[in-house]
């Protein structure tokens, strides 16, 4: 915490040294094991619980722009040779647009079901968080959650909504999450083990 006395840092580090070492080792293992989702023709991509196939369509038009759209069980990417260096940029922009449309709808549905309503919902490109809840009752969620199984996305939504009542990670908070999302531990573990690979 910003206001925590610096003189107490060495003692805290010493008290928690084993936990810090375990956590750093786990993070290193995850970084080595995790790779971004493969972006190539014919690859499968999970999107809101569906397995879709990526298809890259060559476009010989030098002045055309990259386009991405869904057609049934396929995500089609038309990428001219002189467009962005990689088709990942337009695909990522398209996925973020899907997230901006779909995630707030899931938040609304969960809020109505559990009776905890945020003042506002935003979908962001967060690097280190899956979600956040502010003291002003704003909830933000990471767009990459659309690449996770829907149960995982819904767990993070409920997690952040529960912060509207308990803005902490106390036992009361986790009990509230468990009341509204029984078995959430499996989704939390999935995100811990697989979250680093949710990117393109």
């Amino acid at each position: 915490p910003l206001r925590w006395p610096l003189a107490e840092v060495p003692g805290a580090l010493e008290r928690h040294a084993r936990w810090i070492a375990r956590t750093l080792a786990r993070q290193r293992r995850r970084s080595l094991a995790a790779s971004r989702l493969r972006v190539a023709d014919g690859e499968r991509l999970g999107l809101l619980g569906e397995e879709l196939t990526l298809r890259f369509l060559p476009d010989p038009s030098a002045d055309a722009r990259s386009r991405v759209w869904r057609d049934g069980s396929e995500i089609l990417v038309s990428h001219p040779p002189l467009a962005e260096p990689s088709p990942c940029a337009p695909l990522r922009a398209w996925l973020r647009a899907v997230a901006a449309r779909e995630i707030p709808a899931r938040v609304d549905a969960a809020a109505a079901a559990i009776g905890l309503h945020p003042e506002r919902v935003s979908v962001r490109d967060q690097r280190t968080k899956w979600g956040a809840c502010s003291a002003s009752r704003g909830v933000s969620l990471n767009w990459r959650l659309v690449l996770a199984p829907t149960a995982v996305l819904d767990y993070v939504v409920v997690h952040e909504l529960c912060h509207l009542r308990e803005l902490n990670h106390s036992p009361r908070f986790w009990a509230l999450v468990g009341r509204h999302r029984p078995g959430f531990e499996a989704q939390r573990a999935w995100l811990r083990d697989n979250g680093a690979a949710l990117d393109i």
Side-chain angles (χ1 to χ4, degrees):
L2 290 176
R3 291 188 173 84
W4 209 48
L6 288 177
E8 293 185 26
V9 171
L13 289 174
E14 192 174 311
R15 282 192 305 280
H16 300 287
R18 290 180 63 199
W19 177 86
I20 292 169
R22 278 196 320 267
T23 302
L24 289 173
R26 186 174 65 232
Q27 288 295 91
R28 273 193 297 275
R29 283 193 307 273
R30 261 194 237 140
S31 316
L32 292 172
S35 58
R36 291 179 168 202
L37 299 171
R38 283 182 42 87
V39 177
D41 190 64
E43 287 294 329
R44 306 283 284 166
L45 181 72
L47 180 64
L48 293 167
E50 293 183 75
E51 284 291 318
L52 304 177
T53 303
L54 287 173
R55 290 289 175 215
F56 290 90
L57 310 174
D59 189 337
S61 315
D63 60 345
R65 300 173 114 182
S66 294
R67 293 184 309 123
V68 182
W69 69 100
R70 179 175 174 176
D71 184 12
S73 62
E74 295 182 328
I75 299 174
L76 305 173
V77 181
S78 173
H79 188 68
L82 299 180
E84 299 90 352
S86 160
C88 288
L91 177 57
R92 181 183 303 226
W94 184 82
L95 289 167
R96 287 184 69 175
V98 170
R101 184 178 65 245
E102 298 294 333
I103 290 177
R106 293 185 95 85
V107 172
D108 289 346
I114 68 177
L116 294 168
H117 300 273
E119 289 294 320
R120 71 199 155 280
V121 177
S122 59
V123 178
R124 296 189 178 166
D125 187 20
Q126 296 150 310
R127 283 280 158 207
T128 59
K129 295 180 180 180
W130 294 110
C133 178
S134 69
S136 60
R137 301 182 63 79
V139 166
S140 64
L141 294 152
N142 192 316
W143 72 265
R144 293 169 184 82
L145 287 166
V146 296
L147 300 171
T150 51
V152 172
L153 166 58
D154 292 337
Y155 152 67
V156 177
V157 167
V158 169
H159 179 117
E160 298 309 330
L161 290 175
C162 286
H163 278 312
L164 295 170
R165 181 161 297 153
E166 294 286 339
L167 198 54
N168 54 56
H169 286 108
S170 66
R172 279 190 322 201
F173 167 78
W174 290 112
L176 186 62
V177 173
R179 189 173 326 130
H180 294 301
R181 189 83 189 158
F184 73 88
E185 296 87 354
Q187 287 106 42
R188 187 175 179 216
W190 188 96
L191 199 54
R192 185 186 62 233
D193 295 340
N194 301 285
L198 296 181
D199 202 357
I200 60 167

